[in-house]
Amino acid sequence: MVVFTGAGVSAESGIPTFRDSLTGLWERFDAASLATPDAFRLDPALVWGWYEWRRMKVLQALPNPAHRAIAALAGHVPRLTLVTQNVDDLHERAGSTEVIHLHGSLHQPRCFSCARAPDAPLETPVEPEGGRRLEPPRCVQCGGQLRPGVVWFGESLPSNALEVAFAAAKECDLLLSVGTSGMVFPAAQMPGLAWEAGAVVVHVNPQAQADREREYALAGPAGEQLPALLELAFGRA
Ligand code: BJW
Ligand code: ZN
C-alpha cells in the first residue's frame, strides 16, 4: 500500500494548505510566487521571513487524527510506503517512520551558495505578529545565505526519494491519495502511475472525485475519513 499526502492532511492541524490565501504581511503574496529561487534571489529577507513564520506554525501544531490513522495503518498492512509532499514533520510526530519527503523539509536549511547544512539546528522562531521580513543566517563555510531545505518551483526533486516513490506507486495494490490538489508535478503523477499499473486508487479530500474504474472518492476531511476507514477495515484498535 502507498499513502500519498499533500497539504490537506495537515489542514486540520491548523497549517494552511498551499493554495489558501495568506494572512498578515503575506496576504499581498501568493504562495507560488514566494516558492521560487528567483524570489529568494530578489528578496531573501522576505522569503526567509515567510518560511520562518511557517516553521513556527508547524512547531506550534500537533498531528491530527489523519496523521495518526496513517501511522496506525502501517501496523495493519504487510507493507506501507508513506510519500508526502509536505515540508512539515507531522507524519513523523504521529509515529510514521521512513517518511519520503518529495518536497524537502522546513527543518533542514542549507546554504544557497554551497549547499552546506548549518552545524547547529536553527533557533526556534519567535512569534512575530503575522510574520516579518528576516535576514537569513550566514553559512559558516562560505558566508552565503541559508535557504529553507524545500524544493522550489523549477528545482529538481530529491532523485532518490522520487525513484523510491515512483517504484512504490508502480508496485502497490492500493494507493491512498490524501489532501492534495494534484496540480504540482512530478509528484502529481503518483496516483496515475499506480492506477496505470493496476492498483486501486482512493482519493481522500473534501473535493474528491472518482472518474474511472478502480478509483474511489472519500469526500470529506481526512481527519474524519481516515479514522472511519480504519475502523471499518480493522475495527477499533
Ligand atoms: C483537505 C482538507 C482536509 C483541504 N482533508 N484534504 C507543466 C506540466 C508539468 C510540470 C510543470 C508544468 N509547468 C511547470 C511545471 C513544473 C512545476 C509544476 O508542477 N508546476 C505546476 C504548478 C504546473 N514543477 C516543478 O517546478 C517541480 N520541479 C520540476 O518539475 O523540476 C523539473 C523542471 C525544472 C525546470 C522546469 C520544468 C521542470 C518542483 C515542484 C516543487 C513544488 N514545491 C512546493 C513548495 C514547497 C516548499 C513550500 O512548502 O513552500 O510544494 S509548491 C506546493 O505545492 C508545495 C506542495 O507540496 C505542492 C502540492 O500542493 P498540495 O499539497 O497538493 O496542496 P494544495 O494546497 O494544492 O491542495 C490541498 C488539497 O487539500 C486541496 O485539494 C484541498 O481540497 C484539500 N484539503 N482540507 C483532506 N481537511
Ligand atoms: Zn555556503
Side-chain angles (χ1 to χ4, degrees), residues 21 66 96 100-101 114-115 118 145 167 181 190 195 203 210 216 220 222 227 232:
S21 55
S96 289
I100 299 174
H101 282 269
C114 76
Q145 289 174 309
S181 60
M190 289 284 294
W195 190 84
H203 301 277
Y216 298 89
L232 199 67

Side-chain angles (χ1 to χ4, degrees), residues 6-9 11-12 17-20 35 50-51 54 85-87 103 150-157 178-186 204-207 220-223:
V9 80
E12 290 156 83
T17 65
F18 210 80
R19 283 159 185 87
D20 271 339
W50 183 53
Y51 278 96
R54 289 179 50 201
Q85 300 166 86
N86 296 346
V87 296
H103 292 161
V150 302
V151 181
W152 282 328
F153 284 110
E155 295 187 315
S156 303
L157 277 60
V178 184
T180 176
S181 60
M183 286 170 56
V184 177
F185 287 84
V204 184
N205 192 316
Q207 321 277 345

Side-chain angles (χ1 to χ4, degrees), residues 34-51:
L34 292 167
T36 69
D38 279 347
F40 187 81
R41 269 185 214 103
L42 205 65
D43 194 343
L46 177 75
V47 173
W48 182 260
W50 183 53
Y51 278 96

Side-chain angles (χ1 to χ4, degrees), residues 111-116 139-146:
C111 176
F112 190 60
S113 303
C114 76
R116 181 185 165 121
C139 168
V140 292
Q141 178 161 279
C142 79
Q145 289 174 309
L146 293 194

Side-chain angles (χ1 to χ4, degrees), residues 59-139:
L59 290 170
Q60 292 169 347
L62 294 171
N64 69 53
H67 298 106
R68 289 198 294 273
I70 292 167
L73 204 51
H76 291 286
V77 298
R79 194 170 134 211
L80 184 144
T81 306
L82 175 55
V83 180
T84 188
Q85 300 166 86
N86 296 346
V87 296
D88 65 48
D89 60 354
L90 295 176
H91 282 305
E92 285 87 346
R93 283 199 265 145
S96 289
T97 52
E98 296 177 45
V99 185
I100 299 174
H101 282 269
L102 290 180
H103 292 161
S105 161
L106 282 175
H107 307 286
Q108 287 162 10
R110 63 175 188 274
C111 176
F112 190 60
S113 303
C114 76
R116 181 185 165 121
D119 295 332
L122 291 180
E123 282 168 29
T124 305
V126 283
E127 177 90 35
E129 192 43 54
R132 65 190 157 99
R133 297 165 58 91
L134 201 62
E135 284 300 325
R138 293 279 168 183
C139 168

